[in-house]
Amino acid sequence: MTILEEALKVRIENNGLLTTATKVPLLNKHDLSVLYTPGVAEPCKVIKNDKDLSFEYTARGNMVGIITDGTRVLGLGDIGPEAAYPVMEGKALLFKTFADVDALPICLDTKDPEKIIETVKLLQPTFAGINLEDLSSPKCYDIEDRLKEICDIPVFHDDQHGTAIALCSAVIGALRFVKKDLADAKIIVNGCGAAGSAIGRLLVEMGAKNIIMVDKFGALYDGIDVPLDRIQAHLQKVTNKNMEKGTLADVVKGADVLVGVSAPNVFTKEIIASMNTKAIVFGMANPVPETTYEAAIAAGALVAGTGRSDAPNQVNNVTVFPGVFRGALDVRAKAITEEMKIAAVMAIADLIEEKDLRADYVVPDAFDPRVAPAVAAAVAKTAIETGVA
């Protein structure tokens, strides 16, 4: 049986991946009186006087809403909310398995950003955090930004920021291994969609000085005469200070780091071979990356990685979002800030000591039990220190 066949079999046999489980037993009339009527009125009255106590007296304090409209499902595109449901179930399973966070899929039958924003706002009393998932760009930027403005709980678009945190932690580990500095390294990010743009912005926040963003129109530079969304318009001003122009093949020459969040098989042997010595290549397109691990090494890269679990240096969001939300929920953070994201990057990267770094081990394993607790602790600590908790 193939993995794909097994993916169908396990879901049809179990009627999906999720169920409702109770935390306390209901065995007799006494239990019924305590857990439902008349006892249930007491926490209701307590919360009526202080709504914040809903985090303490109900499941809300450990509950995340996973919100999608199914317009940008990884590798599948706009497939609709019903078809996106298995991804949301899988996400909920990962939340629970890796960080004991309860999560509920919410698949919305609308593509209208205003309706999505309003719906999530109205659902806010149910959750302690919101994970946006598989929303198409550029509307995903507006939805997240508006919700961050109007919600009192953290809102996090994992396709953007989870990918950015995971990738940046891998870049930090790889640069440490090759003995190069983030501030000085020439970094090419191929792909200016939601994930690529978030990676570019986070690298800038972390102090990278020489970043070039590349998309279908070529290298992004200040004043380029092509239609840009507002995030790309921001990136054109804060990256590519040397105003390099042209295609990926033109600007990648001499680069130290090449990151792909674009399309399958676009990192050719010639492109990788034109990079600087001790080159670092991460191909993140999924399920087929810009280059395989083996092809990147054969072309001259010293360090390579992909999103795949069947090759070294897998860069995976599962190292990020469970721990980020665990930390945010533990201190009841009102937002997930840039400082908290950077803390998550460094928490992941710091799990591998420099003496243990290898060309095929610059990223912690997705099942490394240290990852989620380390990320949660770093996020919580930063939230407290910056006044977000």
Side-chain angles (χ1 to χ4, degrees):
M1 182 181 296
T2 68
I3 291 291
L4 301 182
E5 290 169 339
E6 192 173 350
L8 292 175
K9 183 174 182 289
V10 69
R11 287 166 173 80
I12 196 94
E13 288 179 346
N14 292 284
N15 199 199
L17 303 181
L18 304 179
T19 189
T20 300
T22 59
K23 298 176 180 178
V24 294
L26 176 59
L27 303 176
N28 51 48
K29 286 187 176 182
H30 174 79
D31 295 343
L32 186 62
S33 296
V34 171
L35 301 177
Y36 199 56
T37 184
V40 71
E42 290 309 298
C44 291
K45 290 187 287 186
V46 169
I47 295 169
K48 177 179 179 294
N49 294 327
D50 184 354
K51 293 179 181 179
D52 273 358
L53 291 177
S54 63
F55 291 94
E56 306 292 339
Y57 283 93
T58 75
R60 181 188 183 188
N62 195 49
M63 185 70 71
V64 169
I66 309 174
I67 311 292
T68 190
D69 65 355
T71 54
R72 183 62 178 85
V73 178
L74 187 64
L76 299 174
D78 184 353
I79 59 174
E82 294 87 357
Y85 202 119
V87 181
M88 306 309 117
E89 273 199 319
K91 201 83 172 193
L93 185 150
L94 297 177
F95 265 117
K96 188 65 177 178
T97 300
F98 286 97
D100 196 27
V101 172
D102 298 318
L104 184 65
I106 305 288
C107 302
L108 302 178
D109 190 14
T110 179
K111 298 180 182 181
D112 185 339
E114 292 301 322
K115 288 184 178 179
I116 294 171
I117 292 165
E118 181 65 15
T119 301
V120 176
K121 178 186 175 184
L122 294 174
L123 287 170
Q124 188 178 196
T126 306
F127 301 110
I130 297 293
N131 184 96
L132 300 174
E133 192 77 18
D134 293 343
L135 301 167
S136 60
S137 62
K139 75 178 182 184
C140 61
Y141 308 131
D142 299 329
I143 291 170
E144 183 187 36
D145 287 351
R146 284 276 303 283
L147 287 173
K148 285 163 71 174
E149 289 176 5
I150 63 178
C151 290
D152 293 326
I153 57 176
V155 177
F156 185 82
H157 184 204
D158 184 57
D159 298 322
Q160 286 187 70
H161 311 301
T163 303
I165 291 168
L167 191 283
C168 288
S169 69
V171 169
I172 293 295
L175 287 172
R176 284 175 175 170
F177 176 70
V178 302
K179 309 299 183 186
K180 294 182 182 181
D181 186 67
L182 179 67
D184 300 327
K186 181 179 181 180
I187 302 173
I188 310 297
V189 180
N190 193 60
C192 287
S197 296
I199 290 167
R201 285 185 287 165
L202 189 56
L203 285 169
V204 170
E205 289 285 339
M206 294 186 65
K209 306 291 186 188
N210 190 6
I211 306 169
I212 300 176
M213 307 294 301
V214 181
D215 209 80
K216 57 189 176 182
F217 44 70
L220 197 62
Y221 59 89
D222 194 6
I224 187 172
D225 188 20
V226 294
L228 302 175
D229 62 47
R230 64 182 178 88
I231 302 300
Q232 293 168 341
H234 166 72
L235 282 168
Q236 73 168 338
K237 296 183 180 299
V238 298
T239 63
N240 198 359
K241 298 299 185 181
N242 296 326
M243 300 285 283
E244 294 189 40
K245 301 175 183 179
T247 65
L248 172 63
D250 295 323
V251 299
V252 77
K253 294 172 183 175
D256 298 291
V257 181
L258 174 58
V259 173
V261 269
S262 50
N265 302 315
V266 296
F267 291 171
T268 64
K269 178 180 178 181
E270 292 75 21
I271 282 174
I272 295 171
S274 72
M275 295 175 65
N276 198 359
T277 57
K278 300 182 180 179
I280 298 164
V281 178
F282 288 107
M284 300 302 298
N286 217 330
V288 181
E290 287 81 356
T291 178
T292 65
Y293 175 85
E294 294 79 9
I297 298 300
L302 180 58
V303 178
T306 65
R308 296 179 64 94
S309 58
D310 56 0
N313 294 327
Q314 182 191 17
V315 182
N316 195 319
N317 290 21
V318 77
T319 60
V320 178
F321 66 85
V324 165
F325 272 97
R326 178 74 278 152
L329 268 54
D330 283 347
V331 297
R332 206 181 298 168
K334 294 187 175 182
I336 295 170
T337 63
E338 294 304 306
E339 293 90 346
M340 292 159 74
K341 294 173 195 172
I342 292 172
V345 170
M346 300 312 299
I348 297 168
D350 288 344
L351 285 175
I352 305 178
E353 296 184 28
E354 292 207 23
K355 65 180 177 62
D356 296 324
L357 287 167
R358 303 188 309 267
D360 62 352
Y361 182 54
V362 298
V363 181
D365 186 83
F367 283 91
D368 187 327
R370 302 173 299 163
V371 175
V375 171
V379 167
K381 181 174 182 287
T382 304
I384 292 168
E385 291 173 349
T386 57
V388 179

